[in-house]
Amino acid sequence: MDRERDDLTVTEMKFDSDGLVPAIVQQHDTGEILMLAYMNADSLQKTLETRRTWFWSRSRKKYWMKGEESGNVQEVFEVRYDCDADTLLVRVNQVGAGACHTGERTCFYRTLPLAPESADGAEMPLS
Amino acid sequence: MDRERDDLTVTEMKFDSDGLVPAIVQQHDTGEILMLAYMNADSLQKTLETRRTWFWSRSRKKYWMKGEESGNVQEVFEVRYDCDADTLLVRVNQVGAGACHTGERTCFYRTLPLAPESADGAEMPLS
């Protein structure tokens, strides 16, 4: 088992070629997944320092704090990172109505249809 | 509110320039985040058809099914997608000891230190 070091710093995270890592945002008490957005080293550092979620907008090329316009900020309880140090899990309390710009509580309000389970529990053949 | 269409198909997901979207994998009953990996259209289709999680390995340039070697497969209960249709949330039952190759239950077993809360609850100044 190649368990990794437990004491990485922000700059030791494995940012991609654009300097970003995906950050999953989870409501800390219910486990609900609210959204996913991208952080660079500076926005991660700001998140740790301010206990509010800061992201880098890939489309607008700027920093943004969740809730800076709506007031629906995210109070940060914990920032976790994964075994590869290339993904963040930010556990928060979502203030206000919700996280999604559509007005939904979470961005993940839609589903894709699964194939029906076969009667005998057998898996579908793979192509 | 620009709520989006509710009936997107696999090929309408907004895959990135490498043909990928991040897929958050969550234990369906506890809400625990197990891992994040990447799917392309084919691995997403396989996931929907087989009710097992299939990913595209960016480093090995091949498909892999979670648990194909360890037996620790993920039974898929639901596949959600976000408002931008560029991220997946796959709700599963993790079979066996855990999801992480290190032997941990989840890949997110480490934390980054948060700044201490100030005594008066004021936010830290931003740079």
Side-chain angles (χ1 to χ4, degrees):
Chain A
M1 299 297 177
D2 51 344
R3 201 172 187 293
E4 308 285 347
R5 275 175 50 213
D6 274 349
D7 59 347
L8 293 193
T9 60
V10 167
T11 54
E12 290 177 303
M13 290 287 299
K14 289 185 196 145
F15 297 98
D16 71 11
S17 57
D18 295 321
L20 301 173
V21 288
I24 305 162
V25 183
Q26 181 178 40
Q27 176 69 28
H28 74 103
D29 47 0
T30 65
E32 185 177 33
I33 303 305
L34 298 167
M35 55 183 282
L36 181 141
Y38 291 84
M39 290 186 179
N40 61 15
D42 284 348
S43 66
L44 173 54
Q45 190 64 49
K46 278 189 182 184
T47 297
L48 294 168
E49 286 175 1
T50 66
R51 294 172 172 253
R52 296 292 182 272
T53 48
W54 286 86
F55 303 100
W56 177 256
S57 169
R58 297 177 298 172
S59 55
R60 292 177 290 146
K61 312 278 186 206
K62 65 184 286 259
Y63 294 102
W64 61 286
M65 187 186 79
K66 178 66 192 172
E68 63 191 341
E69 293 177 10
S70 66
N72 295 349
V73 299
Q74 295 170 334
E75 301 166 342
V76 176
F77 282 64
E78 189 176 54
V79 178
R80 293 179 167 269
Y81 59 101
D82 76 342
C83 53
D84 297 325
D86 63 3
T87 305
L88 296 165
L89 171 60
V90 185
R91 292 169 60 83
V92 307
N93 179 50
Q94 174 66 57
V95 172
C100 188
H101 74 287
T102 61
E104 299 280 347
R105 165 80 182 163
T106 158
C107 296
F108 295 93
Y109 56 85
R110 295 177 293 179
T111 59
L112 288 168
L114 285 176
E117 280 187 284
S118 60
D120 60 0
E123 291 183 31
M124 297 277 290
L126 299 177
S127 58
Chain B
M1 298 297 175
D2 51 346
R3 202 173 187 294
E4 308 284 347
R5 276 175 49 216
D6 274 348
D7 59 347
L8 293 193
T9 61
V10 167
T11 54
E12 289 177 303
M13 290 287 298
K14 289 184 195 144
F15 297 98
D16 70 13
S17 57
D18 295 320
L20 300 174
V21 288
I24 305 162
V25 183
Q26 181 178 39
Q27 175 68 28
H28 74 104
D29 47 1
T30 65
E32 186 178 31
I33 303 305
L34 298 167
M35 55 185 281
L36 181 142
Y38 292 83
M39 291 186 180
N40 61 15
D42 284 347
S43 66
L44 173 55
Q45 191 64 48
K46 278 190 181 183
T47 297
L48 295 168
E49 287 175 1
T50 65
R51 294 172 173 254
R52 295 292 180 273
T53 48
W54 286 86
F55 303 100
W56 176 256
S57 169
R58 297 176 299 171
S59 54
R60 292 177 289 147
K61 313 277 186 206
K62 64 185 286 258
Y63 295 102
W64 59 286
M65 186 186 80
K66 178 65 191 172
E68 62 191 340
E69 292 177 10
S70 66
N72 295 348
V73 299
Q74 294 170 334
E75 301 166 343
V76 176
F77 282 65
E78 189 176 55
V79 178
R80 294 179 166 269
Y81 59 101
D82 76 341
C83 53
D84 297 325
D86 63 4
T87 306
L88 296 165
L89 171 59
V90 186
R91 292 169 60 83
V92 307
N93 178 51
Q94 174 66 57
V95 172
C100 188
H101 74 287
T102 60
E104 299 279 347
R105 165 80 181 163
T106 157
C107 295
F108 295 93
Y109 56 84
R110 294 177 293 179
T111 58
L112 287 168
L114 285 176
E117 281 186 285
S118 60
D120 61 359
E123 292 182 31
M124 297 277 291
L126 298 178
S127 58

